[in-house]
Amino acid sequence: MVENQKNYQRAKDRVEKKIGFMIHAGIYFVVNAGLITLNLTRSPEKLWFIWPLGGWGIGLFFHAIKVFGHASAASWKDRMIEKEQSKLDQ
């Protein structure tokens, strides 16, 4: 029962992190679409929208690594722990 609660909490935490990333990505696309539109309609001779798009994009990329890369690393770590436990149990 305790193990089920731990797994539930870990799963809940992972889902909350993924939802947080999806919200971040959605806001990124909406805001940058607005900036691109603003730039191209007001001053198309100078394309300044690439700076916030790129800067924020780097942040979004690292957020994705933290959310999705960490999950796979955590499951890899869990598999290693289970393997070591099975060796010790023998």
Short mmCIF file of all heavy atoms in Angstrom, two decimals, residues 4-34:
data_model
loop_
_atom_site.label_atom_id
_atom_site.label_comp_id
_atom_site.label_asym_id
_atom_site.label_seq_id
_atom_site.Cartn_x
_atom_site.Cartn_y
_atom_site.Cartn_z
N ASN A 4 2.31 1.78 -3.40
CA ASN A 4 1.32 2.34 -4.32
C ASN A 4 1.18 3.84 -4.13
O ASN A 4 1.04 4.58 -5.10
CB ASN A 4 -0.04 1.67 -4.14
CG ASN A 4 -0.07 0.27 -4.71
OD1 ASN A 4 0.78 -0.09 -5.52
ND2 ASN A 4 -1.03 -0.52 -4.29
N GLN A 5 1.22 4.29 -2.88
CA GLN A 5 1.12 5.73 -2.61
C GLN A 5 2.34 6.47 -3.15
O GLN A 5 2.22 7.55 -3.71
CB GLN A 5 0.96 5.98 -1.11
CG GLN A 5 -0.39 5.56 -0.57
CD GLN A 5 -0.46 5.70 0.95
OE1 GLN A 5 0.55 5.68 1.63
NE2 GLN A 5 -1.68 5.84 1.46
N LYS A 6 3.52 5.86 -2.99
CA LYS A 6 4.74 6.49 -3.51
C LYS A 6 4.68 6.59 -5.04
O LYS A 6 5.01 7.62 -5.61
CB LYS A 6 5.97 5.68 -3.10
CG LYS A 6 6.36 5.82 -1.66
CD LYS A 6 7.62 5.00 -1.40
CE LYS A 6 7.99 5.01 0.06
NZ LYS A 6 9.19 4.17 0.32
N ASN A 7 4.27 5.48 -5.67
CA ASN A 7 4.16 5.49 -7.14
C ASN A 7 3.12 6.49 -7.61
O ASN A 7 3.33 7.18 -8.61
CB ASN A 7 3.84 4.09 -7.66
CG ASN A 7 5.02 3.16 -7.60
OD1 ASN A 7 6.17 3.60 -7.51
ND2 ASN A 7 4.76 1.87 -7.62
N TYR A 8 2.00 6.57 -6.89
CA TYR A 8 0.96 7.54 -7.26
C TYR A 8 1.51 8.95 -7.16
O TYR A 8 1.32 9.77 -8.06
CB TYR A 8 -0.27 7.38 -6.36
CG TYR A 8 -1.29 8.47 -6.59
CD1 TYR A 8 -2.16 8.41 -7.68
CD2 TYR A 8 -1.36 9.58 -5.75
CE1 TYR A 8 -3.07 9.41 -7.91
CE2 TYR A 8 -2.27 10.59 -5.98
CZ TYR A 8 -3.13 10.50 -7.06
OH TYR A 8 -4.03 11.51 -7.29
N GLN A 9 2.21 9.26 -6.08
CA GLN A 9 2.75 10.61 -5.89
C GLN A 9 3.79 10.94 -6.95
O GLN A 9 3.81 12.04 -7.49
CB GLN A 9 3.35 10.76 -4.48
CG GLN A 9 3.74 12.18 -4.15
CD GLN A 9 2.58 13.16 -4.22
OE1 GLN A 9 1.51 12.90 -3.70
NE2 GLN A 9 2.79 14.29 -4.86
N ARG A 10 4.65 9.97 -7.28
CA ARG A 10 5.66 10.20 -8.32
C ARG A 10 4.99 10.43 -9.67
O ARG A 10 5.39 11.32 -10.43
CB ARG A 10 6.62 9.02 -8.39
CG ARG A 10 7.59 9.02 -7.22
CD ARG A 10 8.50 7.83 -7.16
NE ARG A 10 9.04 7.43 -8.44
CZ ARG A 10 9.59 6.26 -8.67
NH1 ARG A 10 9.67 5.36 -7.71
NH2 ARG A 10 10.08 5.95 -9.86
N ALA A 11 3.98 9.62 -9.97
CA ALA A 11 3.26 9.79 -11.24
C ALA A 11 2.56 11.14 -11.28
O ALA A 11 2.59 11.83 -12.30
CB ALA A 11 2.25 8.66 -11.43
N LYS A 12 1.95 11.53 -10.18
CA LYS A 12 1.26 12.82 -10.10
C LYS A 12 2.26 13.97 -10.31
O LYS A 12 1.97 14.91 -11.05
CB LYS A 12 0.57 12.96 -8.75
CG LYS A 12 -0.20 14.24 -8.59
CD LYS A 12 -0.86 14.32 -7.22
CE LYS A 12 -1.50 15.67 -7.04
NZ LYS A 12 -1.96 15.90 -5.68
N ASP A 13 3.42 13.87 -9.68
CA ASP A 13 4.45 14.91 -9.84
C ASP A 13 4.91 15.02 -11.29
O ASP A 13 5.07 16.12 -11.82
CB ASP A 13 5.65 14.63 -8.94
CG ASP A 13 5.33 14.80 -7.46
OD1 ASP A 13 4.31 15.43 -7.12
OD2 ASP A 13 6.12 14.28 -6.64
N ARG A 14 5.11 13.88 -11.95
CA ARG A 14 5.53 13.89 -13.35
C ARG A 14 4.48 14.52 -14.25
O ARG A 14 4.80 15.30 -15.15
CB ARG A 14 5.85 12.48 -13.82
CG ARG A 14 7.12 11.91 -13.23
CD ARG A 14 7.38 10.52 -13.74
NE ARG A 14 8.54 9.94 -13.09
CZ ARG A 14 8.98 8.72 -13.31
NH1 ARG A 14 8.35 7.93 -14.17
NH2 ARG A 14 10.03 8.26 -12.68
N VAL A 15 3.22 14.17 -14.00
CA VAL A 15 2.12 14.73 -14.80
C VAL A 15 2.04 16.24 -14.60
O VAL A 15 1.88 17.00 -15.55
CB VAL A 15 0.78 14.04 -14.46
CG1 VAL A 15 -0.39 14.81 -15.05
CG2 VAL A 15 0.79 12.61 -14.97
N GLU A 16 2.19 16.70 -13.36
CA GLU A 16 2.15 18.14 -13.09
C GLU A 16 3.28 18.87 -13.80
O GLU A 16 3.10 19.96 -14.34
CB GLU A 16 2.17 18.40 -11.59
CG GLU A 16 0.86 18.05 -10.91
CD GLU A 16 0.90 18.17 -9.39
OE1 GLU A 16 1.99 18.47 -8.83
OE2 GLU A 16 -0.14 17.95 -8.77
N LYS A 17 4.46 18.26 -13.84
CA LYS A 17 5.59 18.88 -14.55
C LYS A 17 5.33 18.93 -16.05
O LYS A 17 5.65 19.92 -16.71
CB LYS A 17 6.88 18.11 -14.27
CG LYS A 17 7.39 18.32 -12.86
CD LYS A 17 8.63 17.50 -12.60
CE LYS A 17 9.09 17.68 -11.15
NZ LYS A 17 10.28 16.89 -10.85
N LYS A 18 4.74 17.88 -16.60
CA LYS A 18 4.43 17.86 -18.03
C LYS A 18 3.36 18.89 -18.37
O LYS A 18 3.46 19.57 -19.40
CB LYS A 18 3.99 16.45 -18.46
CG LYS A 18 5.13 15.47 -18.47
CD LYS A 18 4.66 14.07 -18.82
CE LYS A 18 5.83 13.09 -18.77
NZ LYS A 18 5.45 11.72 -19.11
N ILE A 19 2.36 19.02 -17.52
CA ILE A 19 1.33 20.04 -17.74
C ILE A 19 1.95 21.43 -17.67
O ILE A 19 1.63 22.31 -18.49
CB ILE A 19 0.17 19.88 -16.74
CG1 ILE A 19 -0.62 18.61 -17.07
CG2 ILE A 19 -0.75 21.10 -16.75
CD1 ILE A 19 -1.66 18.23 -16.02
N GLY A 20 2.84 21.64 -16.71
CA GLY A 20 3.53 22.93 -16.60
C GLY A 20 4.31 23.26 -17.86
O GLY A 20 4.31 24.40 -18.33
N PHE A 21 4.96 22.25 -18.43
CA PHE A 21 5.69 22.47 -19.68
C PHE A 21 4.74 22.81 -20.82
O PHE A 21 5.02 23.70 -21.62
CB PHE A 21 6.54 21.25 -20.05
CG PHE A 21 7.15 21.38 -21.41
CD1 PHE A 21 8.25 22.19 -21.61
CD2 PHE A 21 6.60 20.74 -22.50
CE1 PHE A 21 8.80 22.34 -22.87
CE2 PHE A 21 7.13 20.89 -23.77
CZ PHE A 21 8.24 21.70 -23.95
N MET A 22 3.62 22.08 -20.90
CA MET A 22 2.65 22.35 -21.97
C MET A 22 2.10 23.77 -21.87
O MET A 22 1.92 24.44 -22.90
CB MET A 22 1.52 21.32 -21.94
CG MET A 22 1.95 19.96 -22.43
SD MET A 22 0.57 18.83 -22.51
CE MET A 22 0.99 17.73 -21.18
N ILE A 23 1.85 24.24 -20.67
CA ILE A 23 1.38 25.62 -20.48
C ILE A 23 2.47 26.58 -20.94
O ILE A 23 2.20 27.55 -21.66
CB ILE A 23 0.98 25.86 -19.01
CG1 ILE A 23 -0.29 25.07 -18.68
CG2 ILE A 23 0.80 27.35 -18.73
CD1 ILE A 23 -0.63 25.03 -17.20
N HIS A 24 3.70 26.33 -20.53
CA HIS A 24 4.82 27.17 -20.93
C HIS A 24 4.94 27.21 -22.46
O HIS A 24 5.09 28.28 -23.06
CB HIS A 24 6.11 26.62 -20.31
CG HIS A 24 7.33 27.44 -20.55
ND1 HIS A 24 8.57 27.04 -20.16
CD2 HIS A 24 7.53 28.64 -21.16
CE1 HIS A 24 9.48 27.94 -20.51
NE2 HIS A 24 8.87 28.92 -21.12
N ALA A 25 4.86 26.05 -23.11
CA ALA A 25 4.98 25.99 -24.57
C ALA A 25 3.81 26.72 -25.24
O ALA A 25 4.02 27.43 -26.23
CB ALA A 25 5.03 24.53 -25.03
N GLY A 26 2.61 26.56 -24.72
CA GLY A 26 1.45 27.24 -25.29
C GLY A 26 1.59 28.75 -25.22
O GLY A 26 1.33 29.47 -26.20
N ILE A 27 2.02 29.24 -24.06
CA ILE A 27 2.22 30.69 -23.90
C ILE A 27 3.33 31.17 -24.83
O ILE A 27 3.22 32.24 -25.45
CB ILE A 27 2.52 31.03 -22.42
CG1 ILE A 27 1.28 30.76 -21.57
CG2 ILE A 27 2.99 32.47 -22.28
CD1 ILE A 27 1.53 30.83 -20.07
N TYR A 28 4.39 30.38 -24.95
CA TYR A 28 5.49 30.71 -25.86
C TYR A 28 4.97 30.91 -27.28
O TYR A 28 5.29 31.91 -27.94
CB TYR A 28 6.54 29.59 -25.82
CG TYR A 28 7.61 29.69 -26.87
CD1 TYR A 28 8.71 30.52 -26.67
CD2 TYR A 28 7.55 28.95 -28.04
CE1 TYR A 28 9.72 30.60 -27.63
CE2 TYR A 28 8.54 29.03 -29.00
CZ TYR A 28 9.63 29.86 -28.79
OH TYR A 28 10.61 29.95 -29.74
N PHE A 29 4.18 29.97 -27.77
CA PHE A 29 3.70 30.06 -29.15
C PHE A 29 2.72 31.21 -29.35
O PHE A 29 2.80 31.93 -30.34
CB PHE A 29 3.08 28.73 -29.60
CG PHE A 29 4.11 27.67 -29.83
CD1 PHE A 29 4.18 26.56 -29.02
CD2 PHE A 29 5.04 27.80 -30.85
CE1 PHE A 29 5.15 25.58 -29.22
CE2 PHE A 29 6.01 26.83 -31.07
CZ PHE A 29 6.07 25.72 -30.25
N VAL A 30 1.83 31.42 -28.41
CA VAL A 30 0.85 32.51 -28.54
C VAL A 30 1.55 33.87 -28.51
O VAL A 30 1.31 34.73 -29.37
CB VAL A 30 -0.23 32.42 -27.44
CG1 VAL A 30 -1.08 33.67 -27.39
CG2 VAL A 30 -1.10 31.18 -27.65
N VAL A 31 2.41 34.08 -27.51
CA VAL A 31 3.09 35.37 -27.38
C VAL A 31 4.00 35.63 -28.58
O VAL A 31 4.01 36.73 -29.15
CB VAL A 31 3.88 35.45 -26.05
CG1 VAL A 31 4.79 36.66 -26.02
CG2 VAL A 31 2.92 35.48 -24.87
N ASN A 32 4.75 34.62 -29.00
CA ASN A 32 5.66 34.83 -30.12
C ASN A 32 4.92 35.00 -31.44
O ASN A 32 5.39 35.75 -32.30
CB ASN A 32 6.70 33.71 -30.18
CG ASN A 32 7.80 33.96 -29.18
OD1 ASN A 32 8.54 34.92 -29.29
ND2 ASN A 32 7.89 33.11 -28.18
N ALA A 33 3.77 34.36 -31.59
CA ALA A 33 2.95 34.61 -32.79
C ALA A 33 2.52 36.07 -32.81
O ALA A 33 2.54 36.72 -33.86
CB ALA A 33 1.74 33.69 -32.82
N GLY A 34 2.15 36.59 -31.64
CA GLY A 34 1.79 38.00 -31.56
C GLY A 34 2.96 38.91 -31.85
O GLY A 34 2.81 39.92 -32.56
#
